[in-house]
Amino acid sequence: MITGATFWIATAIKVFAIVFGLVNLGALLLWVERRQSALIQDRMGPNRANIKIFGKEFRVAGLLHSAADGLKMLWKEDFVPPGADKLLYQFAPVISLVPPLTLFAVIPFGPSIYPDNLRRVFGSEGWNAAAGYIPLHISVADSGILVVFAMASSGVLGAALAGSSSDNKYSLLGGLRAASQMVSYEVTMGFSLVGTFMVYQTLRLEQMVQWQVDHAWGIFVQPLSFLLFFTAAVAETKRVPFDAPEGESEIVAGYFTEYQPMKMGMFALGELVEVMTSSALITTIFLGGWQFPFLKLDGFHFELFGIAKPIYMSHLAVVIISALSFVVKVAILVLLQMQIRWTLPRFRYDQIMKLGWRILLPASLINILLTGVVLLFVNGR
Amino acid sequence: MESIDQELDESELELPAEPMTLNMGPSHPAMHGTIRMVLKLDGETVKACDVQPGYLHRAQEKMGERGTWQQFFPYTDRLNYVSPMLNNVGYALAVEKLLGITVPRRAQILRVIHGELARISDHLTCNGAMAMELGAFTPFLWFIKAREWLWEIIETQTGARMTHSYGRIGGLAARDTEDFGARCLEVMPKMLAVATEGESLLLKNRIFLDRTQGVGILSKKRAVSMGASGPVLRSTGVDYDVRKDKPYLTYGEVDFDVPVGEDGDNYDRYMCRLEEIRQSVRIVEQSIALLNKIEKGSPEDEVSVKDPRVVLPPKEDVYNTIEGTINHFKLIMEGVQIPAGEVYQYTEGGNGELGFMIVSRGGGNPWRIRVRAPSFFSLSAVSEMIIGGMIADIVPTFGSINMIGGECDR
């Protein structure tokens, strides 16, 4: 690994790229969501916001709608309810936005880069193995997935604090629902991944990807775990069908009823960033992370009918294809989550609890047991 | 040896708790129109509920007494504003009963068709809104799209989409256009296809079924004693539909079924409405066949009675002849002269039995108009439907009785 000043510069660039990218993609997702829902619901969708340049209107397929939305939020009056706990009230949106951003620190979004060997084929002649590499994830933490759990579970604080500090009964109900729902599904989320740890023999996400590159994608090894984790992740993002904390028609807007434009925007952004991070997590753990099928570090290796035909590629091209494949996988999962949102009705609070504790949790425990038994036979220990 | 926890009684370990009072409404995003519910909550469970209607009270019945008989039509549009034509027809029939006239056949059939179009749009809106209250946004917008096609037809016929005041004493405001029947027949299958599509999103969905079945139960006995009618009553298993049990207009000539539920829960109410849409389509299709059978130019072919004391003269007469001008003036300024008497006329509105009790002491103004609004009676059953349930079920249950503020509070 590269050390010294280069390391710090690279880290700074990665942090900036991820934070800047995620926040802006959040706004883009708002547009995607509107477009997609319009498509599903057979209506027009955003198409009015425009910029006039030389008398011509530019609408950019409704993209400006999100920009106009953001501007509107910034310029609206920032009103704090008189009975609210000022500090916690102001702090809650930050708490709900920061954890999903932080969580991205341990997710690898590409293979390690060897900056000195960009134009060479991996492992070929002239490959400078001694030169350092830059891992394409911000934090190289041994705790890995535990950081993810820690961050994901602190997200509940934002909703709970928002609910309790707003001095509104609807907010309180929403906050209560959010707290109990997220805590419950946290348990399933953790247990459903234990099976994958047992298979991968590691907690570090980059090593999980490496395992999948070497063997098979996690979704094929641990299908039940994938389903459980996906469900729990959707529940964690508090979106339909698990949007009881928001409960639009029954408790007005749930825990952020009393929030004004930009703070409400932060909750919304936090939710969208959470959708992206959970998709990125699922991609990393179950869908082979940045791996593109048949792509090895030195190029494509197709093996069909016993005929192996490698196509060698430069290191830079491999890195770019891998990173793009990561992005595409995440995008597919995000779109899937949005599709769910516009298809299903909402669970009732008690049904959510029942599903979490009586179905998902036992299922994840059974998954652990099954994985253990299978591993015992396979490894013969 | 005594066990350590012998002294501990579990009930004493519970923290002291008292119910939370929550004001839902009158301005709450999901309270249709304006209604207030004062709830006593134990966590998420509703312990007590006080439903308070009246926030949309506009003294419509009193306003009716101030104007002439004809001037009440725009007010009836604003009773159940989702199905205005049904109210128009109900009121017109009541006045005509007092007057002792029967409208020509064409007008009768047109009233049936327009009424059924209004009923379909009412049920589409209600079912869609109920799905939306359960968090399923997409079916709602699909149903609204289908409703739009119906409203386009209504707009071509009446000139307005919602509050069209198309009914008149003694007939209708205008003749139907040439392509009316064809357009209806074209839209009906399209509308049904959308309804089926929306249905497929909900009725095979475990979440929707869990959220509606067994929720907001109303027993047969209670429904009858509350005076509920329409889909709310029929969902409990009582086979009562004014169109079938006391046919008016041409309902006796068309063949249709009355869907009846079993449990009286949200699901049954939803299904009753869905099935009624299908039955209404049957009525519309048969009525258009009846309409086409009418001989052109015969007295049956008129859309209003030929009685200058009741119906306004044609505009060319008003502007060109003195008789026409005076006739118009008298009808507008003094109103239709209705003989003294009392009458109660009831029809099947969008939400059930819509009755008009009118009292005349002769002359151009009603002495008293009293509207029996179906949703007012259904509303009285709401509190017992939601007590014991959860907060999340209040709004869908409330939506399933389809309380329309304009009609309930008048």
Side-chain angles (χ1 to χ4, degrees), chain B residues 211-408:
Chain B
R211 289 283 322 255
T212 50
Q213 285 174 341
V215 172
I217 293 176
L218 182 65
S219 72
K220 203 182 213 172
K221 205 177 153 199
R222 291 300 291 162
V224 172
S225 65
M226 290 282 179
S229 53
V232 177
L233 178 68
R234 287 195 284 275
S235 71
T236 63
V238 182
D239 174 18
Y240 173 68
D241 188 325
V242 185
R243 293 174 294 172
K244 203 77 172 176
D245 295 326
K246 186 183 170 296
Y248 52 98
L249 297 173
T250 56
Y251 279 114
E253 296 172 40
V254 290
D255 180 32
F256 65 99
D257 300 323
V258 177
V260 172
E262 269 177 15
D263 311 324
D265 55 1
N266 284 355
Y267 181 75
D268 277 14
R269 282 188 282 277
Y270 185 89
M271 292 310 283
C272 268
R273 288 210 171 81
L274 210 53
E275 191 49 38
E276 272 179 37
I277 292 175
R278 300 222 152 79
Q279 298 304 327
S280 290
V281 171
R282 282 178 69 194
I283 297 176
V284 169
E285 284 170 353
Q286 291 173 50
S287 296
I288 285 166
L290 288 179
L291 203 61
N292 292 335
K293 272 187 209 152
I294 295 175
E295 202 184 320
K296 285 260 180 304
S298 65
E300 285 189 344
D301 199 27
E302 299 293 332
V303 289
S304 49
V305 292
K306 285 271 170 249
D307 187 343
R309 289 168 302 173
V310 179
V311 178
L312 289 173
K315 274 283 182 285
E316 53 264 34
D317 287 358
V318 177
Y319 294 134
N320 296 320
T321 67
I322 187 68
E323 292 83 3
T325 313
I326 290 174
N327 189 357
H328 188 270
F329 180 81
K330 295 278 270 183
L331 277 182
I332 293 294
M333 299 309 287
E334 293 174 3
V336 181
Q337 302 297 310
I338 306 285
E342 280 187 31
V343 71
Y344 177 70
Q345 168 68 33
Y346 54 107
T347 54
E348 183 72 21
N351 288 329
E353 184 185 319
L354 174 71
F356 285 91
M357 168 82 199
I358 53 180
V359 182
S360 168
R361 293 202 169 174
N365 299 27
W367 182 260
R368 173 86 173 98
I369 294 181
R370 158 81 191 154
V371 185
R372 185 214 185 268
S375 50
F376 182 75
F377 295 88
S378 311
L379 185 72
S380 59
V382 164
S383 73
E384 62 186 67
M385 278 151 78
I386 58 182
I387 287 175
M390 304 191 86
I391 309 174
D393 286 333
I394 292 176
V395 175
T397 306
F398 182 62
S400 76
I401 67 149
N402 196 16
M403 204 251 1
I404 306 281
E407 177 184 75
C408 180

Side-chain angles (χ1 to χ4, degrees), chain A residues 37 40-43 169-170 172-173 176-177 240-241 243 248-253 341-351, chain B residues 20-24 28-30 43-44 133-138 141-142 145 201 205 207-208 210-211 215 390-393 395:
Chain A
S37 66
I40 293 174
Q41 292 162 352
D42 200 3
R43 56 186 175 84
K169 284 173 183 170
Y170 290 113
L172 184 66
L173 281 170
L176 278 175
R177 285 181 183 189
V240 174
D243 69 335
E248 202 191 344
S249 58
E250 46 210 68
I251 49 170
V252 191
R341 170 165 185 180
W342 299 111
T343 312
L344 295 181
R346 177 189 310 130
F347 279 114
R348 201 170 51 205
Y349 169 73
D350 61 326
Q351 291 167 345
Chain B
M20 177 168 88
T21 310
L22 184 71
N23 261 311
M24 222 179 208
H28 179 281
E44 291 265 332
E133 276 147 11
L134 292 171
F137 209 80
T138 305
L141 287 163
W142 285 355
K145 175 181 75 180
L201 260 187
N205 189 323
I207 305 176
F208 180 78
D210 281 349
R211 289 283 322 255
V215 172
M390 304 191 86
I391 309 174
D393 286 333
V395 175

Side-chain angles (χ1 to χ4, degrees), chain A residues 137-299:
Chain A
H137 48 107
I138 297 171
S139 161
V140 189
D142 277 336
S143 40
I145 194 91
L146 298 182
V147 174
V148 171
F149 287 143
M151 283 303 144
S153 52
S154 57
V156 65
L157 284 176
L161 285 181
S164 64
S165 67
S166 318
D167 187 32
N168 180 320
K169 284 173 183 170
Y170 290 113
S171 303
L172 184 66
L173 281 170
L176 278 175
R177 285 181 183 189
S180 48
Q181 173 180 329
M182 290 175 80
V183 168
S184 308
Y185 279 79
E186 204 68 52
V187 181
T188 308
M189 215 170 167
F191 275 125
S192 66
L193 282 190
V194 172
T196 58
F197 303 157
M198 288 159 77
V199 175
Y200 298 155
Q201 297 282 316
T202 176
L203 286 182
R204 287 174 63 165
L205 289 160
E206 65 271 22
Q207 288 173 359
M208 290 187 185
V209 175
Q210 198 50 51
W211 192 92
Q212 292 176 79
V213 172
D214 297 340
H215 299 87
W217 284 10
I219 187 172
F220 303 119
V221 184
Q222 287 278 319
L224 182 60
S225 168
F226 169 75
L227 276 180
L228 294 171
F229 186 75
F230 188 71
T231 316
V234 174
E236 283 290 299
T237 54
K238 303 188 285 293
R239 286 161 68 86
V240 174
F242 296 99
D243 69 335
E246 207 177 309
E248 202 191 344
S249 58
E250 46 210 68
I251 49 170
V252 191
Y255 57 92
F256 57 79
T257 304
E258 286 292 342
Y259 279 86
Q260 278 69 44
M262 204 53 219
K263 287 188 203 123
M264 194 210 73
M266 280 173 85
F267 278 117
L269 191 63
E271 190 183 294
L272 288 168
V273 171
E274 233 173 291
V275 170
M276 280 187 284
T277 21
S278 66
S279 302
L281 256 184
I282 295 168
T283 304
T284 309
I285 301 174
F286 294 103
L287 296 181
W290 41 260
Q291 198 220 353
F292 191 84
F294 303 111
L295 184 68
K296 295 270 158 57
L297 278 176
D298 53 353

Side-chain angles (χ1 to χ4, degrees), chain B residues 55-118:
Chain B
Y55 287 89
L56 209 61
H57 180 61
R58 293 156 298 173
Q60 280 202 329
E61 291 167 349
K62 189 69 192 166
M63 286 195 282
E65 294 166 23
R66 305 273 306 202
T68 60
W69 291 95
Q70 305 99 302
Q71 281 177 334
F72 193 60
F73 275 106
Y75 292 122
T76 61
D77 281 343
R78 286 150 182 86
L79 283 173
N80 183 344
Y81 34 72
V82 196
S83 55
M85 192 57 198
L86 289 167
N87 312 330
N88 276 198
V89 171
Y91 176 66
L93 283 175
V95 180
E96 283 157 13
K97 196 173 179 183
L98 204 53
L99 206 54
I101 55 171
T102 316
V103 294
R105 188 169 164 77
R106 188 173 195 90
Q108 291 193 17
I109 299 173
L110 281 178
R111 280 178 177 181
V112 168
I113 298 176
H114 277 283
E116 292 312 309
L117 291 181

